[in-house]
Amino acid sequence: MATETNQETGKLEFFLDVPFPSSGEATVALRSLSPDREPRRGGISKRLSVSGSTLSVRWSADEARVLRVSVNSFLDHLSLVVETMELFGPPVDL
Amino acid sequence: MTVVIGFEGSANKIGIGIIRDGEVLSNPRRTYITPPGQGFMPSDTARHHRAVILTVLKEALEQAGLKPADIDCVAYTKGPGMGAPLVTVALVARTVAQLWGKPLLGVNHCIGHIEMGRLITQANNPTVLYVSGGNTQVIAYLERRYRIFGETIDIAVGNCLDRFARVIKISNDPSPGYNIEQMAKKGSRYVELPYTVKGMDVSFSGILSFIEEAANKMLSSGQCTAEDLCFSLQETVFAMLVEITERAMAHCGSQEVLIVGGVGCNLRLQEMMGVMCKERGAKLFATDERFCIDNGAMIAQAGWEMFRSGYVTELEDSWITQRYRTDEVEVTWRD
């Protein structure tokens, strides 16, 4: 995890990398966590991606307060997805 | 044979239900109840749902005696409702759909109520009164859409009742509306309140302001009891609902009424609607609290109909939405 201010855009940026046991499971998490839009609040955007078996999230925000809310919210959601995967996983092979 | 699991959590109830070809195999539910005088806030509600949802999911499977492999489709509430709770539930639905390799289906909450009402009561083609804490609509099916014939122009009738319950600080257990209903039975004095029907529509926020002020003035001066106000509020708002339902029935030439939604549990509302129906030679249908109040099986049932008529929701399109009109969905499963 890291927070920085992008010198060019002046926006705050936050990076989060979450390791998963496999790329399949990282992808399950990605597809569960990406559909919902940020609640109507300008000045925040996030992007999710999977590389290998790591889920990466990149935030860009105007204000620290807005960034904090979004990151906290995401971590709650992530922990729910992970707990669901622990209880009902692993993914079936199709 | 088609088995659908449905996830519902758009307000303060979290329910997961499983339906197999019109049979409810399981329908466990938990309700987030706040102290008297307080309503439920989105983030607290989401936190409640998050804490219990996986337990409720296990219960749903165990009580149905099924394994994930037995499920054909995972249905969940896409909207309308409160954002944070909707997301919490959608996250679990999306995750298990992927883990189990099953198709996902986003369901409109209002249509969930309608389809459950139709299944349980076997009403043929009723005029539907959908009344809850979050919604108040008069709906009739016409040419592949559930058309909204009349609705509230401000707050839902259940919201009016719930907020009045907060003013007089009655318990929210099991629900504020239930406790208002019990108190109303002991009311004897009718206090005149504004009656606001506007054509096919209704309005409740003026009545709420009026009764909140009346409660403060009249209760402290002893002009009436809280029971009298509960009684008067019910008589007024329910009469308004009966009027707009009747107007829609006359418009459609309908001989059936189906009441769905949490406020539909109210026996006084059912009684008043029954009187109107009898006068018109029409039939009244209603369900009990298992299915009136938000539950997972109703989402499973709507999902069952939608899935069998070819609907599926891709994961990228499975975002939740707080606003979702009943007539936005093409009802491909009816002619």
Side-chain angles (χ1 to χ4, degrees):
Chain A
M1 289 198 292
T3 319
E4 325 180 326
T5 304
N6 182 313
Q7 296 304 324
E8 284 176 15
T9 65
K11 285 185 191 286
L12 293 168
E13 294 183 344
F14 190 94
F15 308 134
L16 176 67
D17 289 328
V18 186
F20 279 86
S22 69
S23 71
E25 282 156 293
T27 305
V28 169
L30 171 76
R31 301 185 79 195
S32 290
L33 291 160
S34 42
D36 297 306
R37 295 138 189 189
E38 285 293 307
R40 235 174 354 162
R41 182 169 264 151
I44 181 103
S45 69
K46 71 177 191 288
R47 200 166 301 136
L48 287 87
S49 58
V50 163
S51 176
S53 57
T54 301
L55 173 70
S56 294
V57 195
R58 264 95 185 105
W59 278 266
S60 176
D62 292 332
E63 291 170 43
R65 182 180 46 86
V66 177
L67 178 62
R68 176 175 53 82
V69 169
S70 181
V71 172
N72 272 343
S73 199
F74 179 82
L75 290 170
D76 280 339
H77 295 163
L78 174 67
S79 91
L80 176 57
V81 169
V82 166
E83 205 183 316
T84 307
M85 291 171 70
E86 280 169 0
L87 261 178
F88 292 97
V92 297
D93 285 322
L94 289 163
Chain B
M1 194 172 68
T2 306
V3 180
V4 180
I5 187 167
F7 289 71
E8 157 55 33
S10 57
N12 66 331
K13 279 75 72 184
I14 166 90
I16 300 174
I18 302 180
I19 292 219
R20 178 180 59 206
D21 296 338
E23 196 190 338
V24 179
L25 300 181
S26 63
N27 200 13
R29 173 176 69 206
R30 301 277 196 284
T31 307
Y32 172 49
I33 297 175
T34 44
Q38 287 181 38
F40 53 90
M41 302 297 277
S43 51
D44 300 326
T45 307
R47 204 167 302 130
H48 166 271
H49 291 356
R50 191 248 178 280
V52 300
I53 186 170
L54 296 176
T55 307
V56 177
L57 174 52
K58 276 191 284 181
E59 274 177 24
L61 289 164
E62 276 161 28
Q63 287 169 18
L66 294 180
K67 295 180 310 304
D70 304 320
I71 309 271
D72 295 304
C73 171
V74 176
Y76 70 101
T77 306
K78 184 177 173 69
M82 298 171 97
L86 281 169
V87 170
T88 301
V89 175
L91 286 171
V92 175
R94 290 180 199 132
T95 305
V96 297
Q98 293 179 79
L99 293 174
W100 301 341
K102 307 291 177 183
L104 189 64
L105 223 166
V107 171
N108 178 302
H109 178 92
C110 315
I111 294 188
H113 277 291
I114 296 172
E115 292 304 331
M116 199 65 194
R118 286 181 63 227
L119 173 71
I120 298 293
T121 67
Q122 294 291 298
N124 181 35
N125 190 18
T127 302
V128 178
L129 175 66
Y130 169 34
V131 274
S132 69
N135 294 282
T136 294
Q137 297 174 6
V138 177
I139 295 156
Y141 173 75
L142 187 65
E143 285 175 24
R144 300 278 166 124
R145 299 268 163 168
Y146 283 118
R147 317 256 170 199
I148 301 171
F149 274 75
E151 59 185 325
T152 176
I153 63 174
D154 40 59
I155 60 176
V157 62
N159 191 237
C160 180
L161 293 166
D162 292 351
R163 285 162 70 177
F164 174 63
R166 280 184 238 162
V167 166
I168 57 175
K169 294 234 179 356
I170 65 182
S171 169
N172 292 320
D173 187 1
S175 76
Y178 177 82
N179 291 326
I180 289 179
E181 183 176 358
Q182 305 319 305
M183 284 178 69
K185 291 179 193 170
K186 295 183 236 151
S188 50
R189 210 192 124 199
Y190 173 67
V191 176
E192 189 156 352
L193 303 171
Y195 182 94
T196 34
V197 168
K198 308 206 178 241
M200 310 281 301
D201 297 326
V202 281
S203 162
F204 295 109
S205 55
I207 300 177
L208 178 61
S209 314
F210 186 95
I211 198 173
E212 282 174 340
E213 208 189 301
N216 292 327
K217 274 196 324 232
M218 297 175 86
L219 292 181
S220 49
S221 69
Q223 282 176 272
C224 68
T225 64
E227 287 80 358
D228 295 331
L229 289 177
C230 288
F231 166 71
S232 307
L233 181 59
Q234 282 197 166
E235 294 300 299
T236 309
V237 300
F238 292 166
M240 289 164 55
L241 295 173
V242 171
E243 181 180 336
I244 62 165
T245 307
E246 183 170 14
R247 193 156 285 131
M249 288 168 79
H251 199 90
C252 303
S254 166
Q255 287 298 97
E256 290 175 317
V257 172
L258 170 63
I259 310 180
V260 298
V263 180
C265 294
N266 190 300
L267 296 175
R268 180 58 186 146
L269 172 60
Q270 290 181 25
E271 186 183 31
M272 290 170 73
M273 194 70 73
V275 169
M276 180 273 284
C277 285
K278 192 156 173 240
E279 285 169 2
R280 298 181 67 88
K283 222 174 152 215
L284 174 63
F285 297 90
T287 62
D288 63 52
E289 57 84 37
R290 289 171 298 165
F291 305 113
C292 263
I293 297 177
D294 291 348
N295 63 92
M298 76 185 194
I299 301 301
Q301 175 56 20
W304 186 92
E305 295 277 24
M306 291 173 75
F307 182 62
R308 283 166 63 103
S309 84
Y311 269 105
V312 147
T313 304
E314 297 301 321
L315 275 158
E316 310 77 66
D317 302 326
S318 69
W319 36 269
I320 60 94
T321 175
Q322 292 188 229
R323 303 213 187 299
Y324 192 6
R325 296 287 283 170
T326 314
D327 53 15
E328 270 183 59
V329 177
E330 206 189 325
V331 181
T332 51
W333 58 94
R334 293 181 65 173
D335 343 276

